[in-house]
Amino acid sequence: MSWHLSITVDRRSSGSLTEQVLRQIKQLIRDQVLRPGVRLPSTRQLATDLNVSRSVVVEAYQQLIAEGWLASSQRSGTWVSYRAEQCSRRGRYVANSSHDNLRQTHLDLRPTGADITAFPRKEWLGCLTIVLRRASRLDLDYPPTSGVPALREELAQYLGRVRGLRVLPDQVVVTVGFAQGLSLVGHMLRRLGIHSIALEDPGQPYLRNFIEKIGLRTVGVPVDENGIDVAALERSAARSVLVTPAHQFPTGVVLAPHRRAALLDWAERVDGLIIEDDYDGELWHEPSDWRPTLQSMSPCRVIYGGTASKTLAPGLRLGWLCVPPTLVRELERAREGHDLGTGSIEQLAYSEFIRTGRLDRHLRRMRARYRERRRTLVNVLSERLPDLQLCGSAVGAHAYLRLPPRLDERSLVTRVARQRLLIPGVTHFGLGHASPAPGLIVGYAFPPMTILVEALHILAAAADDLAGSVHLAPATSLRG
């Protein structure tokens, strides 16, 4: 491998050529330009690049290796040593190492994402290979801002088939994840003269902060066992609302049929807009858990948002909006000047992934995996903590555990944290409108099954300690 290194030598300098090479490499390491593990050119290559004798570079490298700045092997060449003095004292490498250690020593049940260990690497690589083999000059040029036609076509067909959407390809806008899509919608709302948006409470605090930075005012609307309270939404005077009807985050409740009808009626009466975040709607555990989208009921009043973050991996940064026909041009105007679209290669690979049925097969595997983990959650809690109520529908990879009256949420969260277990309380997701019923939000996507069981037993032991010897009256039975 022909590596490069940005150093020079000055033959007019009083210092020897070896000293110049040695000194410059040390300085690059001190300044963290060269970090632990970074490969260096071979002695022969660097000598050629600098137009010096190879012995000059050999001597410099040998001295740096002796002092612990560099390391080498016959097979791997020469690289910056992980024992380099300045790197071990400061900077990003140490911070990242600490972060890695933190992850290794904690049991993490936070609802933070998908099971990325199940990412279908072989299938995705196959799609990339096909796409790169077929890619034309136009495919490698700047993509259309709204997305490559092949992916928009596949998404329209797929979302119609799997989620019941009524959408044409030219209504699909490909985005860099849901966050960018929400940003575009926010800017569009402002262009339309809508300056506030209602959010479910409890919900995602980071989404509220994100939206407010766009310049919109946010209004929290309470959620109960039937979903968002539409009567409270009407009193808010907002004309737009962001909802998660298939699996509300974090409570897990499904928007009840009468609330769906009321919400769509509200949108018509106030000339409003509903943004439907279907973040894990494809991950129902059983066919009976499938719910229709709001967009399928009112395509002209609903902007549908989806993403590959929960189904494949957040690192793909692929999302999409399905926009009412009358708003497509408005959204395109809002996007003008913000970016030049999403990477075409990833879009074409995802299009191939959908077209060949790989996504359907992957989702079947993921549904089975999450179903088994939820059953494990139910079984352990039924045995150890029958007084906790498992709320919400069996969709996705998180659950809302409502606590009985004698268990204090904050005390329980604090106690398990002392035992290396990270589980957030539901009050963490409150937006200030009303206090949700005390409970825990448990994410079961990422940890291996043995870790999940271990974490749940730690939770049970901590709850037993807090509750003492008082037997709590059982709540509604746990649902698998």
Side-chain angles (χ1 to χ4, degrees):
M1 182 68 71
S2 182
W3 305 96
H4 295 276
L5 188 61
S6 59
I7 64 174
T8 60
V9 293
D10 182 0
R11 285 176 168 78
R12 295 171 299 178
S13 171
S14 59
S16 70
L17 296 178
T18 296
E19 288 175 349
Q20 291 182 52
V21 172
L22 187 147
R23 185 176 66 253
Q24 288 182 71
I25 292 176
K26 280 186 178 182
Q27 192 59 50
L28 289 173
I29 295 175
R30 288 193 183 99
D31 293 341
Q32 297 184 47
V33 174
L34 295 179
R35 301 178 185 231
V38 170
R39 293 283 299 276
L40 270 62
S42 68
T43 55
R44 188 183 305 278
Q45 184 63 61
L46 185 56
T48 300
D49 292 343
L50 297 177
N51 194 24
V52 298
S53 167
R54 185 185 176 197
S55 62
V56 169
V57 181
V58 169
E59 186 179 350
Y61 273 21
Q62 288 177 343
Q63 183 62 33
L64 290 166
I65 291 169
E67 295 179 13
W69 294 92
L70 301 181
S72 69
S73 71
Q74 188 172 0
R75 286 177 172 270
S76 302
T78 305
W79 65 93
V80 179
S81 171
Y82 288 94
R83 298 185 297 111
E85 181 181 1
Q86 297 299 324
C87 289
S88 67
R89 286 185 185 172
R90 38 180 299 212
R92 202 163 169 181
Y93 170 67
V94 174
N96 286 342
S97 298
S98 299
H99 179 66
D100 290 341
N101 291 336
L102 183 68
R103 293 183 62 183
Q104 292 171 6
T105 57
H106 279 69
L107 303 173
D108 194 344
L109 294 190
R110 291 174 295 179
T112 53
D115 182 2
I116 54 178
T117 63
F119 182 79
R121 297 170 187 263
K122 183 178 179 180
E123 292 90 340
W124 185 257
L125 181 60
C127 291
L128 280 173
T129 302
I130 292 171
V131 164
L132 290 172
R133 187 182 301 127
R134 296 175 180 170
S136 67
R137 181 186 64 80
L138 289 176
D139 291 331
L140 298 176
D141 207 340
Y142 288 106
T145 307
S146 293
V148 298
L151 179 56
R152 299 171 79 188
E153 178 74 34
E154 290 297 336
L155 281 172
Q157 294 182 15
Y158 169 80
L159 293 170
R161 172 169 57 85
V162 175
R163 300 298 292 132
L165 263 66
R166 295 154 59 188
V167 63
L168 297 175
D170 60 5
Q171 295 171 243
V172 178
V173 177
V174 180
T175 62
V176 185
F178 179 71
Q180 191 206 27
L182 185 59
S183 174
L184 296 175
V185 171
H187 288 294
M188 183 190 71
L189 290 176
R190 294 182 62 192
R191 290 175 60 91
L192 295 173
I194 298 175
H195 298 285
S196 65
I197 183 169
L199 304 177
E200 296 170 324
D201 188 2
Q204 285 281 20
Y206 84 88
L207 281 181
R208 177 186 61 186
N209 299 334
F210 183 81
I211 291 169
E212 289 177 347
K213 288 179 180 178
I214 297 171
L216 293 175
R217 184 175 65 91
T218 59
V219 182
V221 178
V223 170
D224 59 25
E225 66 276 6
N226 292 311
I228 191 168
D229 184 343
V230 180
L233 173 61
E234 292 188 21
R235 294 191 296 270
S236 74
R239 288 179 52 209
S240 64
V241 61
L242 174 63
V243 292
T244 51
H247 189 224
Q248 200 274 332
F249 188 89
T251 66
V253 301
V254 176
L255 189 61
H258 70 280
R259 289 280 176 85
R260 288 171 180 254
L263 182 59
L264 296 174
D265 180 64
W266 163 86
E268 288 290 341
R269 284 187 290 102
V270 304
D271 190 23
L273 194 60
I274 300 167
I275 299 99
E276 179 176 15
D277 180 4
D278 197 28
Y279 68 98
D280 64 357
E282 298 156 279
L283 293 170
W284 64 86
H285 297 183
E286 303 289 352
S288 59
D289 295 315
W290 185 90
R291 295 294 185 274
T293 62
L294 290 173
Q295 195 276 352
S296 68
M297 303 170 69
S298 183
C300 293
R301 288 293 176 189
V302 179
I303 293 179
Y304 173 94
T307 174
S309 296
K310 293 291 190 294
T311 54
L312 283 174
L316 292 178
R317 304 311 301 137
L318 271 174
W320 46 86
L321 298 174
C322 298
V323 186
T326 56
L327 294 178
V328 171
R329 185 55 192 142
E330 285 294 338
L331 192 70
E332 289 174 345
R333 289 194 186 99
R335 192 169 193 174
E336 290 171 358
H338 284 274
D339 64 82
L340 295 176
T342 306
S344 57
I345 299 301
E346 291 80 4
Q347 291 186 61
L348 290 169
Y350 193 55
S351 173
E352 182 73 9
F353 197 74
I354 298 172
R355 187 188 67 81
T356 55
R358 289 175 169 93
L359 178 58
D360 286 79
R361 291 192 293 272
H362 173 69
L363 287 175
R364 290 183 186 278
R365 293 192 297 266
M366 297 309 296
R367 290 181 193 122
R369 179 181 291 232
Y370 289 159
R371 180 168 58 245
E372 182 62 26
R373 291 187 179 190
R374 188 177 177 96
R375 284 177 180 168
T376 299
L377 177 71
V378 170
N379 292 338
V380 174
L381 293 178
S382 297
E383 177 186 350
R384 295 292 310 274
L385 286 170
D387 308 303
L388 269 67
Q389 181 182 356
L390 181 59
C391 303
S393 59
V395 179
H398 82 271
Y400 172 30
L401 305 181
R402 184 173 295 172
L403 299 178
R406 292 295 300 276
L407 276 180
D408 178 71
E409 178 189 305
R410 179 176 294 182
S411 298
L412 184 55
V413 168
T414 301
R415 180 164 295 215
V416 298
R418 293 185 187 132
Q419 300 176 66
R420 304 181 301 119
L421 173 57
L422 303 177
I423 302 180
V426 70
T427 55
H428 169 75
F429 301 96
L431 302 184
H433 186 278
S435 298
L440 304 175
I441 308 301
V442 177
Y444 50 83
F446 184 73
M449 194 72 79
T450 54
I451 299 297
L452 176 62
V453 172
E454 178 186 355
L456 292 173
H457 280 288
I458 290 173
L459 173 62
D464 286 342
D465 288 344
L466 283 176
S469 59
V470 179
H471 178 71
L472 303 173
T476 304
S477 60
L478 292 167
R479 176 175 179 264

